[in-house]
Amino acid sequence: MERSEREYDVIVWGATGFTGRLVAEYLLDRYGVGGELRWAMAGRNASKLEAVRAEIGREAGRAADALALITADADDPASLEALVARTRVVCTTVGPYAKYGSGLVAACVQLGTDYCDLTGELQWMRRMIDAHEAEATRSGARIVHTCGFDSIPSDLGTWFVQREMRARHGVPARHVKLRVRGSKGGASGGTIASMLNMLDEAERDPSIRRVLADPYALNPEGRRSGPDRNEGLAPEKDDDFDVWTGMFVMAGINTRVVRRSNALLDDLYGADFRYDEAILTGAGPLGFLKAAGLGLGTGGVMALMSLGPIRRALSRLLPQPGEGPSKAQREAGYFDIELHAEHPGDHGKSLRARVTGDRDPGYGSTAKMLSESAVCLALDPARTGGGFWTPASAMGDALLDRLVANAGLTFTIES
Ligand SMILES: NC(=O)c1ccc[n+]([C@@H]2O[C@H](COP(=O)([O-])OP(=O)(O)OC[C@H]3O[C@@H](n4cnc5c(N)ncnc54)[C@H](OP(=O)(O)O)[C@@H]3O)[C@@H](O)[C@H]2O)c1
């Protein structure tokens, strides 16, 4: 069936999981049932779906009985194809994506259905791009990974500050640095399972270790090199912010996404564009010590977790799939990041942008970012044809405006 004639605008697959339920809660609260957005909840277990629908309806104080429920299992390709054929956009939180997500991407690509997810699994994104890019271009399916905290604030933050730089000074910044000022939140079992699965795959396959270590791992063929190097663990003094900085654990994903955006946008930020991320830890000896602690802590955890037996033993002590931060923790959470965009010729014309979120980054804010990405793909005019896009290259200003209007994010120029 033609995409425009499909029964639903958006189907949320994984609505019974920790993050998927938050997405369904948000869509119910913001868009209701039977309104401008035609949407449905999907999962592998019909009775669990019914229970979640009843609970979120009760919590929102809204009738949710008319919300359609669809069952589809990652192990049943026919059920995935049937789901994908009924909607314009699939929004999926079924992860680890490398374990459960490949069949869904293949079905979307084949049937020309748009798609967004929350994966941060670089090795899997690389596999999906290599396997399906040509067919997605042909079928018209827009596939957009990384529509959560990784990597929307980074990707749209860079898009935003570069847009302002071009508007004010007529040139893009050659170097953008994202610096985390503060954030508060926790991790879910599904996120931990995805990270552990990535380490399992890397242990078995050296080619995956090379992808994870490549600063241009997500770039298109022929664009896999440039001036950026991998993030280091050591503290660095940042002269623009005049404080010490330490390693930001999400940088390994976000930097690859922003670099891919630049390549897909035909070097909108410049052919020699540089991008990096770090956490601001403060001035003086205390700032240095905090930055050193971040590097040592992150390096130590990564070294321990790379050892299979230790990884398996520790994983039993961590949150399990389905578990995650409480409502109170999500509502008390936030993120606050700054982006410094260096003018190519005149330091005095450099710009400082700020991006904030009003919930914990990983779940409260992420659920809203993913939901609005799905709605944007479904209802806003398309910027691109089919292919594997990033949030900024697929949706740009349309998504930015939605996030500011509906999802509690702010994008401002500070100086
Ligand atoms: N990028 C970000 O900022 C960000 C933030 C949050 C989450 N994430 C990612 O999102 C993913 C989900 O995280 P989560 O904490 O929500 O995980 P979760 O609570 O474990 O939920 C996983 C979902 O997958 C479903 N599922 C498992 N196996 C399936 C199968 N064979 N067929 C169909 N559905 C299946 C589960 O169904 P049941 O309910 O029936 O078990 C559940 O709905 C993870 O990969 C995580 O890394 C990313």
Side-chain angles (χ1 to χ4, degrees):
M1 188 189 286
E2 281 301 306
R3 204 175 153 269
S4 56
E5 296 162 9
R6 294 192 185 168
E7 200 176 343
Y8 299 109
D9 296 316
V10 173
I11 295 179
V12 182
W13 189 47
T16 56
F18 185 78
T19 318
R21 179 195 163 114
L22 298 178
V23 170
E25 258 176 43
Y26 174 79
L27 289 178
L28 180 63
D29 185 51
R30 176 78 186 75
Y31 295 96
V33 184
E36 60 165 319
L37 185 77
R38 300 167 306 151
W39 68 285
M41 286 167 52
R44 61 176 164 173
N45 181 323
S47 54
K48 208 168 164 184
L49 276 171
E50 274 175 33
V52 170
R53 180 177 62 182
E55 281 166 26
I56 64 173
R58 216 169 23 248
E59 278 165 28
R62 301 184 76 137
D65 294 356
L67 190 56
L69 305 178
I70 297 164
T71 47
D73 195 302
D75 298 326
D76 177 0
S79 71
L80 294 179
E81 273 183 35
L83 180 153
V84 163
R86 293 174 74 177
T87 185
R88 295 155 67 98
V89 178
V90 178
C91 166
T92 169
T93 58
V94 173
Y97 291 89
K99 266 177 138 170
Y100 306 124
S102 303
L104 183 72
V105 172
C108 286
V109 165
Q110 194 196 333
L111 296 177
T113 302
D114 294 333
Y115 165 106
C116 55
D117 72 20
L118 288 179
T119 188
E121 297 156 61
L122 284 178
Q123 87 291 7
W124 180 70
M125 287 186 259
R126 186 70 259 168
R127 279 207 292 276
M128 293 299 98
I129 295 168
D130 292 342
H132 300 297
E133 171 99 72
E135 200 187 347
T137 309
R138 187 193 55 70
S139 76
R142 292 173 295 164
I143 308 294
V144 191
H145 299 302
T146 62
C147 292
F149 184 61
D150 36 313
S151 300
I152 281 183
S154 307
D155 200 27
L156 279 187
T158 304
W159 164 273
F160 170 72
V161 77
Q162 290 284 35
R163 184 189 78 187
E164 292 302 309
M165 191 65 142
R166 284 195 316 277
R168 292 170 193 222
H169 303 306
V171 285
R174 192 172 293 153
H175 185 187
V176 173
K177 317 188 216 186
L178 179 147
R179 299 292 179 253
V180 180
R181 215 164 247 302
S183 73
K184 192 168 160 197
S188 73
T191 296
I192 290 164
S194 301
M195 200 188 77
L196 295 173
N197 182 64
M198 191 155 78
L199 293 171
D200 284 343
E201 286 195 27
E203 189 174 60
R204 289 193 297 269
D205 183 347
S207 71
I208 289 179
R209 293 202 286 279
R210 282 195 292 279
V211 169
L212 299 182
D214 177 357
Y216 292 89
L218 293 181
N219 270 34
E221 201 59 63
R223 293 295 318 274
R224 301 251 176 97
S225 62
D228 282 327
R229 298 286 162 263
N230 262 331
E231 307 65 40
L233 293 172
E236 283 189 26
K237 184 78 190 300
D238 187 319
D239 291 333
D240 292 306
F241 288 82
D242 204 20
V243 291
W244 289 96
T245 64
M247 189 186 183
F248 177 39
V249 71
M250 310 313 304
I253 300 160
N254 296 336
T255 55
R256 278 62 171 168
V257 173
V258 173
R259 289 171 198 142
R260 179 171 172 83
S261 283
N262 187 40
L264 296 179
L265 290 165
D266 297 326
D267 288 331
L268 187 66
Y269 311 153
D272 55 356
F273 170 65
R274 290 176 50 213
Y275 180 77
D276 57 77
E277 298 193 344
I279 296 184
L280 300 172
T281 58
L286 192 60
F288 173 83
L289 284 175
K290 278 191 199 164
L294 268 179
L296 283 173
T298 312
V301 169
M302 275 168 16
L304 275 179
M305 292 304 249
S306 67
L307 303 169
I310 293 183
R311 182 163 69 246
R312 283 181 276 283
L314 284 180
S315 68
R316 283 184 222 113
L317 307 174
L318 298 169
Q320 298 302 306
E323 299 172 0
S326 67
K327 187 169 190 213
Q329 286 169 323
R330 296 194 304 272
E331 286 180 354
Y334 75 98
F335 64 87
D336 183 357
I337 62 187
E338 289 195 16
L339 294 104
H340 176 90
E342 182 66 30
H343 186 278
D346 180 350
H347 181 69
K349 291 182 175 167
S350 297
L351 290 182
R352 186 73 60 81
R354 188 168 178 199
V355 183
T356 64
D358 67 349
R359 292 283 183 277
D360 74 306
Y363 304 93
S365 278
T366 280
K368 297 196 274 186
M369 289 188 252
L370 178 64
S371 302
E372 288 296 338
S373 301
V375 177
C376 183
L377 287 172
L379 301 186
D380 293 338
R383 277 179 48 89
T384 67
F388 280 70
W389 299 98
T390 55
S393 59
M395 296 174 274
D397 287 338
L399 179 58
L400 198 151
D401 292 346
R402 282 188 170 279
L403 296 175
V404 172
N406 304 329
L409 266 71
T410 66
F411 292 78
T412 47
I413 294 293
E414 298 284 289
S415 65

